[in-house]
Amino acid sequence: MYANDADAPLRAPITVPALRQMKQRGERIAALTAYDASFARAMDHAGIDAVLVGDSLGMVVQGGANTVSVTLEDMVYHSRCVAKGLRSALLIADMPFQTYAGPERALDAATALLAEGLASMVKLEGAGIVLDAIGYLSEREIPVCAHLGLTPQSVLKLGGFRVQGRDADAAKALLAQARAVEAAGAQLLVLECVPSTLAADITGAVGIPTIGIGAGPDCDGQILVCHDALGINSGHRRPRFVKDFLKGRDSVEAAFRAYVDEVKSGAFPAPEHGYA
Ligand SMILES: Nc1nc(=O)c2c([nH]1)NC[C@@H]1CN(c3ccc(C(=O)N[C@@H](CCC(=O)O)C(=O)O)cc3)CN21
Ligand SMILES: CC(C)C(=O)C(=O)O
Ligand SMILES: [Mg+2]
């Protein structure tokens, strides 16, 4: 239809404040992970709001058993690749294992992800001691996304990828962590593998948007790993929150459009994709 992309009408670029306004309006946020320019471009065309360069690349791209081996160099490289494919979607990059062990180290790593990786926001896992890094970055004008619940960089201590916040004490602690990351300056919050009712409570308790993965239908937005959304099995057991959007469709972009539509309408995730 257009001679080249440069002639196509531009969707307004999605900013961090725009995501907060979506929460306030009750418009759901649709996000996916990407690791290269071509998939990022297809997602952007499909109307995705945010793209995360996840350290899940250690598993789905590099074939590792977890995300612990991913380096800052890996993340900068893939973030820069993804940035080249985006016109409108907000680009978030994961901070790798131990690159935010201490505020100054976090500032160096986050600066590399923004300046060389061309990301617009960085994501780090946990609260507690990590609150210092969240505060240090956000005070220095670096947009921060927090990540609570199942934090895959903790897998060696946890002993596996398991649902978090299931008993009353753990649920209370997770709600307190959510309030604490917001108070420290986080502007977005990923909730991974937590009971749907707890994710709903947290979403109501914080002003920042929540993005769920295995966190039920009542988050402000949803995210999936790109490969999972396309039915590509990376050799691990398929978690229950995964849905194959390519099934019954004839292109990757159609699958991404269906994902965006189902997140916006609330059709995805269905109750069976969540945990009790
Ligand atoms: N392809 C892929 N998709 C992901 O969502 C993902 C990654 N890789 N790599 C990093 C982490 C690891 N993730 C995982 C991996 C396994 C489960 C899982 O098997 N969950 C069990 C829950 C068991 C319980 O009840 O505690 C499940 O049955 O869904 C969950 C999240 C999420 N992230
Ligand atoms: C699954 C999302 C939230 C993530 O952190 C990743 O892909 O690394
Ligand atoms: Mg990650």
Side-chain angles (χ1 to χ4, degrees):
M1 194 182 341
Y2 299 96
N4 58 55
D5 277 359
D7 299 326
L10 202 56
R11 253 193 322 147
I14 310 289
T15 60
V16 173
L19 295 181
R20 194 182 178 97
Q21 286 156 14
M22 288 173 73
K23 175 181 179 114
Q24 286 160 355
R25 286 199 305 267
E27 184 188 339
R28 288 193 183 81
I29 297 160
L32 286 167
T33 73
Y35 314 97
D36 70 48
S38 301
F39 279 89
R41 185 167 173 274
M43 290 170 191
D44 195 276
H45 283 192
I48 206 83
D49 298 305
V51 170
L52 170 71
V53 184
D55 60 353
S56 52
L57 71 82
M59 297 171 73
V60 298
V61 176
Q62 298 171 342
N66 56 51
T67 60
V68 170
S69 316
V70 175
T71 67
L72 183 62
E73 192 183 10
D74 294 335
M75 291 305 303
V76 167
Y77 172 79
H78 285 279
S79 183
R80 199 175 175 89
C81 292
V82 166
K84 302 300 181 185
L86 297 183
R87 303 273 307 266
S88 303
L90 183 80
L91 176 50
I92 308 168
D94 264 345
M95 298 190 65
F97 187 57
Q98 300 307 345
T99 61
Y100 46 99
E104 304 226 5
R105 202 168 166 192
L107 180 61
D108 288 344
T111 301
L113 289 168
L114 301 196
E116 298 164 48
L118 308 177
S120 294
M121 183 175 231
V122 297
K123 178 164 78 62
L124 32 67
E125 298 181 5
I129 199 165
V130 175
L131 294 169
D132 291 341
I134 295 174
Y136 199 80
L137 297 181
S138 61
E139 281 167 13
R140 284 163 183 77
E141 318 310 330
I142 296 178
V144 175
C145 176
H147 180 162
L148 298 173
L150 170 56
T151 50
Q153 290 174 15
S154 315
V155 69
L156 298 175
K157 267 185 88 173
L158 291 172
F161 298 120
R162 297 207 185 84
V163 176
Q164 302 294 308
R166 266 187 162 147
D167 66 63
D169 285 350
K172 216 178 134 195
L174 210 52
L175 181 57
Q177 286 182 354
R179 291 198 165 105
V181 296
E182 179 175 34
Q187 290 178 286
L188 197 63
L189 170 56
V190 166
L191 293 174
E192 177 164 350
C193 293
V194 300
S196 302
T197 51
L198 175 59
D201 288 348
I202 292 172
T203 299
V206 296
I208 58 175
T210 61
I211 311 285
I213 172 166
D218 296 320
C219 296
D220 299 303
Q222 298 291 327
I223 187 161
L224 279 181
V225 167
C226 165
H227 296 58
D228 295 341
L230 297 175
I232 298 170
N233 188 294
S234 32
H236 300 269
R237 205 171 59 84
R238 186 176 126 141
R240 65 183 285 142
F241 55 79
V242 167
K243 179 171 173 181
D244 176 4
F245 288 88
L246 188 53
K247 197 173 175 187
R249 298 191 175 87
D250 61 7
S251 76
V252 165
E253 199 173 313
F256 292 155
R257 281 187 198 283
Y259 172 76
V260 171
D261 286 351
E262 291 197 20
V263 169
K264 298 278 177 190
S265 73
F268 178 80
E272 72 262 25
H273 297 117
Y275 300 101

